[in-house]
Amino acid sequence: MTSTTQRQAAAKGRVLPLLGPAFVAAIAYVDPGNVAANLTAGARYGYLLLWVLVAANAMAVLVQYQSAKLGIVTGDSLPGVLGKRLRRGPRLAFWAQAEVVAAATDIAEVVGGAIALNLLFGLPLVLGGLIVGAVSMLLLATQNRYGQRRFESLVVALLLVIVVGFLCGLVVGPPDPAAMLGGLVPRFAGTDSVLLAASMLGATVMPHAIYVHSALSRDRFGRVHAPAERVGLLRATRWDVGAALTLAGSVNIGLLLLAAANLRGVEGTDTIEGAHAAISGALGGGIGVVFAIGLLASGLASTSVGCYAGAAVMEGLIHRRIPLLVRRAITLVPALVLLGVGADPTWTLVVSQVVLSFGIPFAAIPLVRLNRDRALMGAHANGPRLQAALVVVVALVVALNLALLVLLATGA
């Protein structure tokens, strides 16, 4: 769809042709790093922490819409806006931390895909990582050759595979409706449940998801000057974000319900391999295979989107543009090295999530500040009530991540 056609659709209030960017950004919420945490919560505590995922998803909707809105109103990405406002020294420092975050993201996603190929075909992890990297290059080549819409379509197709792969087990082992309702009541069961809930909630807002959503909106729509078209795009974006995050949130909730209904008390679900073995044992080998296929789709889609985010960060902050395929080849190296030296995959995933925690304030705080700037956002700047809600959400996410880092550092 051409830019002119998109703007005509926006002016006429048509929503469906304008959907897509949020579904790509939503991949960050169903990447391999989230799978083990949700399965562990259900296996250990049943339905107890269901309310945490519901609250986390509501917060994600707020934050991701702000990122998309910034891209539409300014015609630029969050890194691009910051790159124009920061002095050289702070700008380079900001870019350095964002690149570290992007690298950590990519490591988790390549490792997750490699684990999936190992579960499906018994492939060595290094070979699996190479295959994940090669297939993600093909996905990115689609964006280079055929444009944004074709790339979005492929990623959305992988998202649907993820949905089926992770949720099909609920058909075989459905959850208890009454227990699900009970899980919506906020409560805990000891210190360990609080820590697990904090990790689930604190990992909701990912820095690369914030960066990439603004870039996806910019690349899809550009800067829209006509007020009617802009209002139409923002309306469609609200539907886009709501639908995409509802789908991603359903996957995370479904993983918890799957474990609560079928894996309660089973040991070893704190690793992806252990969770796969437990699912296969409880629900049958067929469900285990479909789960592993969903995990593979998650790794392939999320590493492609993560590479897209890294490119947006580099272009916006240091005004350098490396071809996506070249960047994909470079960023694949750290993950392959870790797999090659025999680093424990679960440990690798945990460390990558810790690094991501450091990057959250650098993405979320500027996003909230820029969206209240009337000189930048004009009539679309946040009002006092929305701004207050966003400040509370971001403060909560940042505080939880800092608390987790302290707990990890002290060995609590």
Side-chain angles (χ1 to χ4, degrees):
M1 179 181 287
T2 65
S3 180
T4 300
T5 307
Q6 290 177 150
R7 292 179 180 183
Q8 289 173 347
K12 294 177 181 178
R14 295 167 59 197
V15 171
L16 191 60
L18 304 174
L19 302 182
F23 284 85
V24 177
I27 290 293
Y29 294 90
V30 290
D31 69 2
N34 291 324
V35 175
N38 294 324
L39 290 175
T40 299
R44 287 185 187 175
Y45 297 106
Y47 302 90
L48 179 74
L49 299 179
L50 177 60
W51 65 273
V52 175
L53 290 178
V54 174
N57 206 59
M59 296 193 323
V61 169
L62 272 177
V63 173
Q64 291 302 138
Y65 175 69
Q66 295 300 307
S67 177
K69 183 175 76 168
L70 182 72
I72 290 171
V73 174
T74 66
D76 204 350
S77 65
L78 173 60
V81 174
L82 291 173
K84 295 171 183 175
R85 294 184 167 217
L86 296 174
R87 297 189 308 274
R88 186 173 186 275
R91 178 164 53 84
L92 292 177
F94 195 101
W95 168 72
Q97 66 79 29
E99 285 287 1
V100 171
V101 167
T105 301
D106 204 49
I107 287 171
E109 292 155 352
V110 172
V111 168
I115 292 173
L117 287 171
N118 176 264
L119 294 174
L120 286 168
F121 307 110
L123 295 180
L125 291 177
V126 175
L127 178 57
L130 280 170
I131 293 173
V132 169
V135 175
S136 65
M137 282 185 178
L138 293 176
L139 291 173
L140 293 168
T142 299
Q143 194 273 344
N144 279 348
R145 182 167 182 177
Y146 298 105
Q148 183 81 5
R149 286 292 285 160
R150 187 67 62 86
F151 176 69
E152 286 177 5
S153 298
L154 287 174
V155 173
V156 170
L158 287 172
L159 178 59
L160 294 178
V161 174
I162 294 167
V163 172
V164 174
F166 288 162
L167 299 187
C168 68
L170 291 175
V171 177
V172 179
D176 179 355
M180 287 172 58
L181 288 175
L184 296 176
V185 180
R187 64 194 192 282
F188 297 103
T191 304
D192 185 63
S193 69
V194 175
L195 182 61
L196 186 55
S199 67
M200 294 162 65
L201 187 61
T204 299
V205 181
M206 292 295 176
H208 67 292
I210 296 174
Y211 295 135
V212 80
H213 204 162
S214 59
L216 288 163
S217 295
R218 173 204 64 189
D219 294 345
R220 176 75 177 277
F221 305 118
R223 184 166 190 174
V224 182
H225 296 281
E229 293 174 0
R230 186 183 295 172
V231 169
L233 277 178
L234 291 174
R235 183 186 302 114
T237 296
R238 285 192 287 272
W239 281 100
D240 194 28
V241 172
L245 270 296
T246 297
L247 187 61
S250 298
V251 171
N252 286 317
I253 290 170
L255 286 168
L256 184 146
L257 295 178
L258 179 69
N262 303 283
L263 308 180
R264 186 69 188 275
V266 177
E267 296 295 329
T269 56
D270 52 347
T271 69
I272 292 178
E273 301 95 327
H276 174 263
I279 289 171
S280 298
L283 301 176
I287 297 297
V289 168
V290 177
F291 175 85
I293 291 172
L295 179 64
L296 177 59
S298 171
L300 292 172
S302 56
T303 192
S304 301
V305 174
C307 190
Y308 196 116
V313 165
M314 174 176 281
E315 180 185 359
L317 290 169
I318 66 171
H319 314 306
R320 297 287 186 273
R321 191 179 184 96
I322 296 178
L324 278 173
L325 297 184
V326 175
R327 184 179 179 89
R328 163 73 283 174
I330 295 172
T331 57
L332 187 62
V333 172
L336 294 179
V337 169
L338 286 171
L339 292 173
V341 299
D344 179 73
T346 300
W347 174 86
T348 302
L349 290 173
V350 169
V351 171
S352 71
Q353 298 306 303
V354 171
V355 175
L356 286 175
S357 297
F358 281 108
I360 288 174
F362 294 98
I365 293 174
L367 178 73
V368 172
R369 294 188 63 181
L370 289 171
N371 269 285
R372 75 174 182 184
D373 186 344
R374 290 205 172 273
L376 179 69
M377 301 296 290
H380 302 288
N382 291 336
R385 292 182 180 178
L386 177 57
Q387 188 68 17
L390 285 165
V391 168
V392 170
V393 166
V394 170
L396 179 61
V397 172
V398 171
L400 285 170
N401 279 277
L402 290 176
L404 284 173
L405 293 173
V406 170
L407 289 171
L408 287 171
T410 58

